[in-house]
């Protein structure tokens, strides 16, 4: 396996030591700009939208996305996190880079040094090459298997070392921080301490990902001007490169941890999407509450050019965001004015004045335009003949009581679909949403990243328990059984024909001999008392 650093796939722009850091995630058909200023998919450096699809087309489908959080404190105050607004010289944000500190060590030099990097960007290919080299360097792999394995660059080794698997407890941080594989075959075994030299490595999702850790406790929240919720927020943005619908999707995992000692009452969270489908002045919006989806589409069949910027012209797409992990409670248009009460009402599924939205049948509702625009009888913007324009939407989830130490796990998928016209694009998008929900619910893991092994899409931690390498392989495939549980392993071809008798083992490292198998794609089914996992391997 050759060591390849994917600098072309993920690039970082440092806009100043106390300013915004931008990361571009462009592994598949999408080029998505991610910054640490509280506003995502916006190109702060060039003051323009930052979600280009198809990448290199110069056309964007999103101007901005912000993740919102709010709750009622024991004092009765409503505290909010509204993301942020940034430019080249300043950040006006409700979030601060780094972990939550329960002893307020934010000004300590050690804390500042530890969190000087706000974003960690990795591709599975890099991690695979590190694993292969470490296994060779520590005698896990055979000399024959190591003939084509190169030593990683010093940059890659430093990158593996810099992963913040553990927090600094002296600075009041949680000891368990960013997810990693605690290698049982390392010199120190599984010791709950992240050490790259011990063979530990980051656990990411997708083929490439960007990971951010922030909190709302380290300073004055200059965007919402409210007090701290006392939470730590972990974002992981990730993409898969495939030849199907996943190639037009960016996933976002949001972990919210109540690090304070206080129970937050009536906690709510959501996402604000400022759509910009080419020309952002001719759009409509809608939602599908059963699919937990908010979407945007062109108001007519042609995406007109504006300010000489390229547009989608005669093939306007649809852009949506789906909550894969939790049911949504509301979808509304974003208010044009803002205040604490207005933002709280938006997260509560209410209009800015606190009243309920009224649908076309004079009933109260929390979901605006829930009818497919292809339905000529439903409540949608097409049938209402609304004037198209810029559309911003807020999709919310009402969580309820948020206890101290509790973790909320939320997975979103941002979906792009381009049909033959503006309305067929909506149908294509909803079809993709159904596929994504099946992908998430079934924890499907039968996709191979280009030159790298798929890092799992997980609803729980089950699939992190097994790692297959090297992949592709010309001889053996190794399965790391992290929990030493008894596994039944079955090898099948792509047509699900079993190629050899099932193997049962509880060893920490299990080898399958594929040397006699013809080159091609095979499926390895790993079954334990927790369920089944299917992984794809390539025999060269």
């Amino acid at each position: 396996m050759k060591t390849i650093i994917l600098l072309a796939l993920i690039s970082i722009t440092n806009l100043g030591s106390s300013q915004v850091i931008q990361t571009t995630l462009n592994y598949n058909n999408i080029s998505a700009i991610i910054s640490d200023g509280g506003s995502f998919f916006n190109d702060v450096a060039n003051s323009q939208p930052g979600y280009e699809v198809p990448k290199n087309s110069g056309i964007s489908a999103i101007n901005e996305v912000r993740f919102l959080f709010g709750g009622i404190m024991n004092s009765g105050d409503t505290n909010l996190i509204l993301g942020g607004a940034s430019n080249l010289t300043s950040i006006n944000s409700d979030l601060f880079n780094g972990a939550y500190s329960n002893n307020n060590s934010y000004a300590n030099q050690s804390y500042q040094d530890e969190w000087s990097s706000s974003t960690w960007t990795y591709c599975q290919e890099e991690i695979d090459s590190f694993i292969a080299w470490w296994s060779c360097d520590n005698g896990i792999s055979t000399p024959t298997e190591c003939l084509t394995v190169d030593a990683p660059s010093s940059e890659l080794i430093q990158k593996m070392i810099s992963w913040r698997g553990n927090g600094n407890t002296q600075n009041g941080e949680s000891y368990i921080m960013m997810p990693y594989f605690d290698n049982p075959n390392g010199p120190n075994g599984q010791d709950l301490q992240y050490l790259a030299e011990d063979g530990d490595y980051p656990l990411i999702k997708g083929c490439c990902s960007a990971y951010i850790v922030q909190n709302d406790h380290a300073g004055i929240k200059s965007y919402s001007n409210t007090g701290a919720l006392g939470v730590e927020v972990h974002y992981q943005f990730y993409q898969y490169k495939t030849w199907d619908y996943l190639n037009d999707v960016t996933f976002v995992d949001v972990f919210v941890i109540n690090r304070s000692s206080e129970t937050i009452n009536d906690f709510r969270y959501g996402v604000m999407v400022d759509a910009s489908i080419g020309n952002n002045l001719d759009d409509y919006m809608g939602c599908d509450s059963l699919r937990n989806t908010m979407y945007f589409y062109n108001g007519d069949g042609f995406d007109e050019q504006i300010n000489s910027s390229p547009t989608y012209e005669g093939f306007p797409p649809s852009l949506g965001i789906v909550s894969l992990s939790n049911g949504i409670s509301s979808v509304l248009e974003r208010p044009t004015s803002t205040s604490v009460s207005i933002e709280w009402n938006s997260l509560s599924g209410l209009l800015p004045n606190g009243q309920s939205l009224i649908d076309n049948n004079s009933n109260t509702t929390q979901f605006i335009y829930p009818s497919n625009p292809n339905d000529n009888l439903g409540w949608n913007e097409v049938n209402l003949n609304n004037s198209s324009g810029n559309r911003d939407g807020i999709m919310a989830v009402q969580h309820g009581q948020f206890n101290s130490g509790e973790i909320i796990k939320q997975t979103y998928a941002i979906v792009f679909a381009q049909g033959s016209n503006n309305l067929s694009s909506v149908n294509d998008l909803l079809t993709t949403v159904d596929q994504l929900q099946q992908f998430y619910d079934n924890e499907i893991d039968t996709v191979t990243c280009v030159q790298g092994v798929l890092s799992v899409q997980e609803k729980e931690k089950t699939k992190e328990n097994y790692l297959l390498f090297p992949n592709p392989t010309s001889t053996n495939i190794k399965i790391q059984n992290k929990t030493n549980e008894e596994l039944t392993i079955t090898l099948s071809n792509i047509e699900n024909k079993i190629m050899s008798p099932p193997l049962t083992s509880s060893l920490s490292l299990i080898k399958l001999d594929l040397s006699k198998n013809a080159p091609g794609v095979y499926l390895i089914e790993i079954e334990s008392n927790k369920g089944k996992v299917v992984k794809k391997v390539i025999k060269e």
Side-chain angles (χ1 to χ4, degrees):
M1 178 185 292
K2 301 296 183 181
T3 301
I4 303 174
I5 309 302
L6 299 178
L7 295 179
L9 300 179
I10 295 182
S11 59
I12 298 177
T13 304
N14 191 337
L15 303 178
S17 59
S18 61
Q19 301 161 9
V20 179
I21 295 178
Q22 292 190 170
T23 299
T24 302
L25 190 64
N26 58 351
Y27 190 76
N28 57 14
N29 194 39
I30 295 162
S31 178
I33 292 178
I34 300 153
S35 76
D36 63 356
S39 175
F40 302 104
F41 309 141
N42 183 267
D43 185 355
V44 175
N46 297 296
S47 301
Q48 63 186 21
Y51 197 81
E52 185 185 43
V53 52
K55 67 180 178 184
N56 301 321
S57 67
I59 314 174
S60 187
I62 297 176
N63 181 56
E64 177 191 20
V65 165
R66 289 192 277 114
F67 297 97
L68 317 175
F69 312 91
I72 307 296
M73 312 305 290
N74 291 338
S75 63
D77 292 340
T78 300
N79 289 350
L80 301 171
I81 298 173
L82 301 179
S86 309
N87 56 44
L88 285 173
T89 58
S90 66
I91 302 174
N92 191 22
S93 179
D94 284 347
L95 287 166
F96 311 94
N97 291 328
Y100 178 97
S101 169
N102 63 20
N103 60 11
N104 290 295
S105 294
Y106 303 111
N108 289 358
Q109 189 61 50
S110 59
Y111 182 95
Q112 296 290 324
D113 292 343
E114 290 162 1
W115 297 103
S116 59
S117 295
S118 62
T119 308
W120 287 260
T121 54
Y122 293 78
C123 287
Q124 189 63 40
E125 182 178 0
E126 299 173 301
I127 297 172
D128 289 344
S129 65
F130 174 80
I131 295 168
W133 167 77
W134 187 93
S135 297
C136 290
D137 199 51
N138 287 270
I140 305 298
S141 300
T142 66
T144 300
E145 293 169 329
C146 298
L147 289 175
T148 58
V149 176
D150 291 340
S153 66
S154 59
E155 290 82 5
L156 179 56
I157 292 176
Q158 184 57 43
K159 194 172 185 179
M160 293 298 113
I161 292 172
S162 69
W163 184 256
R164 300 284 287 122
N166 302 116
N168 186 340
T169 55
Q170 292 185 344
N171 282 336
E173 303 169 24
S174 172
Y175 183 70
I176 303 300
M177 192 56 59
M178 291 155 58
Y180 65 94
F181 174 58
D182 193 3
N183 192 348
N185 298 314
N188 298 311
Q190 291 181 312
D191 57 356
L192 298 180
Q193 182 180 7
Y194 179 79
L195 290 170
E197 56 266 37
D198 212 20
D200 302 340
Y201 53 84
L203 288 174
I204 69 168
K205 289 188 178 183
C207 302
C208 288
S209 83
Y211 202 102
I212 299 174
V213 178
Q214 297 184 320
N215 72 88
D216 82 324
H217 184 244
I220 297 174
K221 293 159 64 174
S222 56
Y223 200 61
S224 67
N225 294 308
T226 64
L229 287 164
V231 299
E232 184 176 287
V233 184
H234 294 220
Y235 300 102
Q236 184 170 196
F237 299 82
Y238 52 102
Q239 297 173 339
Y240 299 93
K241 184 174 183 179
T242 65
W243 304 114
D244 58 13
Y245 64 95
L246 290 176
N247 210 41
D248 290 325
V249 177
T250 299
F251 292 87
V252 189
D253 282 358
V254 182
F255 291 168
V256 191
I257 310 166
N258 183 355
R259 296 290 195 199
S260 74
S261 59
E262 181 176 342
T263 295
I264 303 173
N265 301 302
D266 200 8
F267 187 76
R268 306 170 187 193
Y269 62 92
V271 57
M272 187 284 295
V273 178
D274 178 359
S276 177
I277 303 178
N279 175 2
N280 69 329
L281 300 179
D282 63 350
D283 296 338
Y284 281 161
M285 71 173 291
C287 70
D288 190 320
S289 60
L290 296 179
R291 289 183 168 94
N292 297 306
T293 300
M294 174 173 67
Y295 58 84
F296 305 86
Y297 57 103
N298 215 66
D300 55 33
F302 192 86
D303 189 30
E304 293 84 4
Q305 193 175 49
I306 181 173
N307 297 329
S308 301
S309 300
T311 65
Y312 295 103
E313 298 183 348
F315 299 94
S318 181
L319 185 284
I321 183 166
V322 52
S323 171
L324 296 171
S325 54
N326 297 291
I328 61 175
S329 56
S330 62
V331 173
L332 295 176
E333 283 193 87
R334 176 193 180 193
T336 55
S337 59
T338 184
S339 68
V340 172
S341 62
I342 288 175
E343 298 290 353
W344 179 253
N345 286 337
S346 295
L347 287 173
S348 306
L350 299 173
L351 298 174
N353 59 8
Q355 297 182 357
S356 296
L357 178 68
I358 306 298
D359 67 13
N360 58 326
N361 293 315
S362 300
N363 296 318
T364 60
T365 181
Q366 293 182 310
F367 297 94
I368 194 167
Y369 309 134
S371 174
N372 188 317
N374 291 279
D375 177 3
N376 57 16
L377 297 177
W379 188 37
N380 56 60
E381 294 210 72
V382 173
N383 290 339
L384 292 173
N385 197 27
N386 287 347
S387 297
S388 59
N390 184 50
R391 292 292 187 270
D392 302 352
I394 293 179
M395 183 172 74
V397 176
Q398 294 190 23
H399 177 76
Q401 183 171 292
F402 191 19
N403 298 315
S404 175
E406 184 180 351
I407 303 175
I408 296 174
K409 300 178 181 180
Q410 172 67 45
T411 297
Y412 297 103
I414 298 169
V415 192
F416 176 91
Q418 190 168 25
S420 58
N421 57 56
N422 60 324
L423 298 186
S424 68
S425 292
V426 174
N427 282 338
D428 289 350
L429 181 135
L430 295 177
T431 297
T432 300
V433 165
D434 292 340
Q435 292 174 306
L436 285 167
Q437 192 66 61
Q438 183 180 19
F439 176 85
Y440 179 85
D441 290 343
N442 295 335
E443 303 184 50
I444 297 173
D445 188 8
T446 57
V447 182
T448 300
C449 299
V450 175
Q451 301 183 28
V453 181
L454 178 72
S455 179
V456 300
Q457 189 286 331
E458 56 184 352
K459 185 177 177 183
E460 304 294 339
K461 290 290 184 183
T462 304
K463 296 176 68 182
E464 291 179 357
N465 292 335
Y466 318 119
L467 177 74
L468 276 67
F469 68 95
N471 189 8
T473 182
S474 58
T475 53
N476 296 326
I477 192 80
K478 299 176 183 179
I479 304 170
Q480 283 189 341
N481 179 10
K482 304 175 188 177
T483 57
N484 289 96
E485 60 188 320
E486 184 171 278
L487 304 178
T488 299
I489 300 168
T490 305
L491 178 69
S492 305
N493 63 15
I494 198 66
E495 297 175 352
N496 286 319
K497 178 182 178 181
I498 296 177
M499 305 302 294
S500 60
L503 170 66
T504 299
S505 176
S506 59
L507 294 175
S508 61
L509 189 66
I510 305 168
K511 293 184 180 180
L512 288 182
D513 184 5
L514 301 185
S515 61
K516 297 181 180 179
N517 292 78
V521 178
Y522 294 87
L523 303 178
I524 293 181
E525 179 186 277
I526 304 172
E527 183 176 5
S528 70
N529 58 5
K530 297 178 182 178
K532 295 180 181 180
V533 172
V534 178
K535 292 178 175 283
K536 180 184 288 185
V537 298
I538 298 175
K539 167 66 188 308
E540 295 180 320

